[in-house]
């Protein structure tokens, strides 16, 4: 494992703990950390709730190894599992649980992934273009750049990076790879810089959006979020709570949509009353999306783009239970 440079400060830690506290106080509470990472949020939950059992998931084996050491003093009530977060229902069953009480998604890249240069996530450091969160499987960013056609690359940069120069960058990559394979982040940054017209006034680094887009493609991140949120909501027990921290608008849009669906009545319009079986399954705990305070954003740059959404399960349509 590479050396860890920055110290990781969990984002919106106190707010997450406050929102989850009533669920963590339920008898026999099981807390699922869907994105265990370096275990910062999970450690705080375990410290403050001595009876809570933790199930921690991560697709990154390095992150799991780090958290396993960090949380070793809680080993008798933690289960750390190498899994993609949409696999939760199967993980729960394997561990003998049907439902969970409290859940946290802290989406995005961990400081381990960003700070360890050899993972290739950061455009500021020259490294092999890997970008896989799970290094045991799948295509790397270099594979994507070597094999995708111009149209596919353009679509990836447009869709996942919201990059206005997507077509120009895709063309430049196709031209560059004809002479030399693009294997390092430094090479890609040079190609993108050369393809950016001097006259274009740009907010931020020219490589920022392309790197984000490649990371989302390599890890199929949006598909995983699209599957994971409904799966998680479906396994949360009545009175249970879930908090999601998103760091880019594409993810936040998915979370917003899933939460809105789950917290809406399914009664046909025009009925004089709401039949109980059509009542919302969830209640939103915050209005819209919450941001980190100015003070936290100044202290922790990772908190700048965060959007927090939270919900509580109020009805189980299978069992008829309601709170
Ligand atoms: C921002 S970090 C979490 C940091 C953590 N809350 C902490 O306090 O250290 C996000 C983590 O989610 C993991 N991750 C991203 N997508 C995932 C997925 N689909 N399934 C499982 N883990 C995922 C990443 O590997 C990364 O370690």
């Amino acid at each position: 494992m590479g050396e860890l440079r920055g110290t990781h400060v969990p984002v919106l830690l106190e707010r997450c703990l406050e929102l989850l506290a009533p669920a963590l106080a339920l008898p026999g509470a099981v807390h699922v950390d869907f994105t265990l990472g370096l275990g910062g949020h999970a450690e705080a939950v375990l410290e403050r709730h001595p009876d809570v059992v933790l199930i921690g998931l991560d697709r990154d084996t390095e992150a799991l190894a780090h958290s396993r050491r960090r949380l070793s003093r809680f080993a008798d009530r933690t289960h750390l599992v190498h899994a993609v977060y949409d696999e939760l229902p199967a993980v729960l069953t394997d561990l003998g649980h049907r439902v969970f009480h409290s859940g946290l998604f802290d989406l995005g890249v961990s400081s381990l992934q960003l700070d360890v240069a050899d993972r290739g996530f950061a455009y500021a450091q020259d490294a092999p273009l890997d970008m896989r969160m799970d290094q045991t499987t799948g295509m790397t960013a270099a594979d994507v750049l070597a094999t995708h056609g111009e149209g596919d690359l353009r679509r990836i940069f447009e869709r996942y990076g919201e990059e206005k120069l997507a077509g120009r960058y895709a063309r430049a990559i196709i031209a560059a790879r004809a002479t030399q394979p693009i294997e390092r982040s430094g090479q890609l940054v040079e190609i993108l810089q050369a393809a950016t017209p001097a006259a274009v006034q740009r907010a931020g680094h020219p490589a920022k959006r392309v790197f984000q887009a490649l990371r989302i493609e390599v890890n199929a991140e949006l598909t995983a979020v699209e599957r994971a949120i409904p799966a998680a909501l479906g396994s949360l027990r009545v009175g249970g709570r879930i908090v999601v921290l998103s760091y880019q608008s594409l993810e936040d849009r998915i979370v917003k949509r899933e939460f809105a669906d789950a917290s809406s009545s399914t009664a046909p319009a025009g009925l004089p009353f709401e039949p109980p079986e059509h009542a919302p399954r969830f209640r939103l705990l915050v209005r819209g999306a919450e941001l980190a305070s100015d003070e936290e954003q100044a202290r922790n740059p990772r908190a700048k783009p965060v959007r927090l959404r939270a919900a509580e399960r109020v009805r189980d349509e299978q069992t008829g239970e309601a709170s």
Side-chain angles (χ1 to χ4, degrees):
M1 189 192 293
E3 179 114 351
L4 261 186
R5 291 186 316 132
T7 41
H8 177 67
V9 185
V11 173
L12 287 172
L13 177 64
E14 290 307 322
R15 185 62 177 139
C16 291
L17 289 167
E18 181 187 18
L19 285 163
L20 295 174
L24 291 164
L26 292 169
V30 173
H31 172 68
V32 177
D33 192 320
F34 290 86
T35 51
L36 187 65
L38 302 185
H41 287 99
E43 182 177 53
V45 167
L46 289 164
E47 268 169 359
R48 295 196 205 175
H49 297 273
D51 297 323
V52 161
V53 167
L54 168 82
I55 299 176
L57 312 181
D58 208 294
R59 70 196 315 191
D60 182 340
T61 51
E62 285 189 8
L64 277 173
H66 180 93
S67 284
R68 204 174 292 287
R69 284 194 299 278
R70 178 173 187 171
L71 304 177
S72 58
R73 66 190 189 284
F74 306 109
D76 57 339
R77 54 191 177 101
T78 59
H79 305 279
L80 306 188
V81 185
H82 183 218
V84 178
Y85 40 55
D86 56 4
E87 293 167 339
L88 175 77
V91 172
L92 273 180
T93 311
D94 285 351
L95 294 171
H97 295 281
R98 201 180 57 77
V99 290
F100 68 100
H101 305 70
S102 157
L104 175 68
F105 283 88
D106 182 14
L107 298 170
V109 193
S110 73
S111 24
L112 178 73
Q113 291 159 344
L114 276 181
D115 292 348
V116 176
D118 64 7
R119 304 286 299 262
F121 285 99
Y123 54 78
Q125 295 163 22
D126 183 40
L129 275 168
D130 187 323
M131 293 201 193
R132 287 170 305 166
M133 291 188 187
D134 181 350
Q135 291 186 296
T136 65
T137 176
M139 274 184 137
T140 65
D143 295 335
V144 169
L145 292 175
T147 56
H148 284 39
E150 187 178 324
D152 283 343
L153 289 175
R154 179 172 51 73
R155 270 187 294 280
I156 290 168
F157 301 158
E158 269 168 6
R159 200 170 294 165
Y160 301 153
E162 300 179 286
E163 173 54 72
K164 293 198 180 66
L165 299 179
R168 181 184 276 266
Y169 288 158
R171 259 194 316 283
I173 287 165
I174 300 293
R177 81 182 186 197
T179 49
Q180 200 189 0
I182 306 167
E183 285 168 345
R184 301 189 62 88
S185 49
Q187 262 177 294
L188 179 58
V189 168
E190 270 176 31
I191 294 165
L192 298 173
Q193 264 163 347
T196 307
V200 177
Q201 285 296 316
R202 310 212 15 113
H205 195 285
K208 185 173 171 199
R209 294 187 191 81
V210 168
F211 271 62
Q212 170 182 305
L214 282 172
R215 197 196 86 206
I216 292 176
E217 168 69 13
V218 163
N219 297 291
E221 285 178 36
L222 299 182
T223 322
V225 177
E226 252 161 8
R227 290 200 197 116
I229 301 290
L233 295 180
S235 301
L236 196 64
R237 57 148 289 163
V238 171
R241 291 181 165 211
I242 190 155
V243 173
V244 184
L245 307 181
S246 314
Y247 295 85
Q248 37 105 342
S249 54
L250 300 163
E251 277 170 352
D252 184 52
R253 246 177 262 161
I254 298 171
V255 180
K256 180 180 175 184
R257 190 187 64 216
E258 294 299 335
F259 276 24
D261 277 1
S263 59
S264 304
S265 165
T266 55
L271 283 190
F273 67 97
E274 183 178 65
E277 67 276 19
H278 287 295
R281 296 177 298 136
F282 283 81
R283 132 180 121 85
L284 301 183
L285 296 170
V286 299
R287 283 175 68 86
E290 253 177 44
L291 312 181
S293 66
D294 292 345
E295 189 269 322
E296 178 167 356
Q297 291 189 34
R299 198 167 21 94
N300 183 5
R302 289 187 207 284
K304 275 199 185 126
V306 76
R307 298 274 178 284
L308 175 151
R309 295 183 189 271
E312 177 180 313
R313 183 145 201 184
V314 290
R315 192 170 73 81
D316 185 332
E317 62 284 14
Q318 309 294 332
T319 62
E321 190 187 355
S323 61

